[in-house]
Amino acid sequence: MRSYVVLLGPPGAGKGTQASRLSQRLGVPHVSSGDLFREHIKSQTDLGKLAEGYMSCGQLVPDEVTIAMIRERLSRADSAQGAVLDGFPRTPAQADTLGRLAGELDGAVRAVVYLRVPDAKLVERLTGRWTCRAQGHIYHSRNHPPKAAGRCDLDGSELIQRDDDKVETVTRRLGVYREQTEKLIEHYRNAGLLLEIDGTQPELAVAGSVMAALKGRLD
Ligand code: AP5
């Protein structure tokens, strides 16, 4: 049976950082809706051209497009045991679809890890973030600097800043999170799936808290 673990939290909470670690620990793919859109933008597909307009101003890409992309991704052979979902779902419609889709694929959402971080820290994290061009490995100028300036420790590729990490766009993304995504915390709490984690701890401590909270949930 497929197991899905969702990482939920505001922009900059550390979803990508923790999802990457968790997917290695669990041996299932890290499925990030934001990364999938960025790949489409890089390849200049029709979906990428559409998504770019929304992402550059910090708005959500429409549900039907996002849902179709995730449905296709979760149906691939490498997701036969499940996935760690990062950035999806982000709206009630996406959450409902995920529940149905998991059932269709003979699986279930096992846990929703909510990373709690106050706004002031989020802005500092996003404006200091650097991401590797080749595979999206994540760094921070102060909290997690690379060993050699401007180069990824893991694959040596160039580190770049995301277009939507400018202060004005970050502020818009936080507003969109409050309006459209924050309500999922209550939704998943009521469903008995929410695991609330203090995301202000150092990266390794957050990872430890996530593993401890997941204990017994994935058997
Ligand atoms: P997406 O790429 O999903 O961005 P996001 O949700 O805004 O989240 P981020 O990737 O910015 O942050 P994160 O929580 O992953 O933090 P990270 O680990 O990188 O989405 C981008 C856009 O795509 C959206 O705005 C929307 O337009 C579109 N989109 C995506 N999904 C969609 C959907 N489902 N529906 C519709 N539209 C969608 O960490 C951030 C920084 O903090 C890094 O520098 C890191 O090194 C540092 N850091 C991490 N953890 C710690 C720690 N514990 N202590 C100190 N620093 C830390």
Side-chain angles (χ1 to χ4, degrees):
M1 194 176 186
R2 299 177 195 223
S3 294
Y4 299 100
V5 176
V6 172
L7 272 288
L8 180 65
K15 302 183 296 296
T17 301
Q18 295 302 328
S20 165
R21 285 178 181 279
L22 194 55
S23 81
Q24 284 172 31
R25 288 290 293 267
L26 302 181
V28 294
H30 168 192
V31 172
S32 155
S33 42
D35 286 349
L36 290 171
F37 285 131
R38 282 183 284 277
E39 280 166 26
H40 277 281
I41 292 173
K42 208 158 130 189
S43 315
Q44 281 292 288
T45 64
D46 289 344
L47 171 54
K49 288 177 194 159
L50 174 84
E52 194 167 19
Y54 292 95
M55 291 171 76
S56 62
C57 60
Q59 298 291 353
L60 296 187
V61 180
D63 277 343
E64 57 279 16
V65 178
T66 306
I67 287 168
M69 178 179 75
I70 292 291
R71 181 181 284 278
E72 185 280 322
R73 179 64 188 86
L74 294 184
S75 305
R76 289 190 210 160
D78 69 345
S79 307
Q81 301 301 315
V84 174
L85 288 160
D86 157 17
F88 184 94
R90 253 175 156 102
T91 64
Q94 293 182 13
D96 290 346
T97 304
L98 176 62
R100 277 198 305 279
L101 180 59
E104 283 168 29
L105 293 167
D106 191 24
V109 177
R110 301 278 178 198
V112 175
V113 175
Y114 164 46
L115 299 175
R116 193 171 18 85
V117 178
D119 281 11
K121 268 200 192 299
L122 298 172
V123 176
E124 185 261 340
R125 284 188 186 182
L126 291 173
T127 50
R129 170 166 57 189
W130 290 85
T131 308
C132 98
R133 191 185 281 286
Q135 296 185 70
H137 298 121
I138 303 166
Y139 298 85
H140 188 277
S141 49
R142 200 169 60 205
N143 305 332
H144 181 167
K147 293 191 182 98
R151 290 280 149 202
C152 178
D153 295 350
L154 300 172
D155 59 32
S157 78
E158 185 192 7
L159 297 183
I160 51 172
Q161 284 199 292
R162 271 170 47 176
D163 287 342
D164 60 350
D165 280 348
K166 295 188 210 88
V167 179
E168 324 78 81
T169 319
V170 164
T171 308
R172 171 77 62 81
R173 286 163 60 201
L174 286 171
V176 168
Y177 170 79
R178 301 277 172 247
E179 281 162 26
Q180 303 194 51
T181 307
E182 202 169 36
K183 55 189 83 155
L184 297 187
I185 296 170
E186 214 42 44
H187 170 87
Y188 283 121
R189 185 177 283 127
N190 292 338
L193 290 170
L194 198 79
L195 304 174
E196 193 163 340
I197 304 291
D198 174 7
T200 63
Q201 307 170 84
E203 265 180 54
L204 275 178
V206 175
S209 300
V210 171
M211 285 314 292
L214 281 172
K215 220 165 177 201
R217 292 260 174 173
L218 303 174
D219 306 331

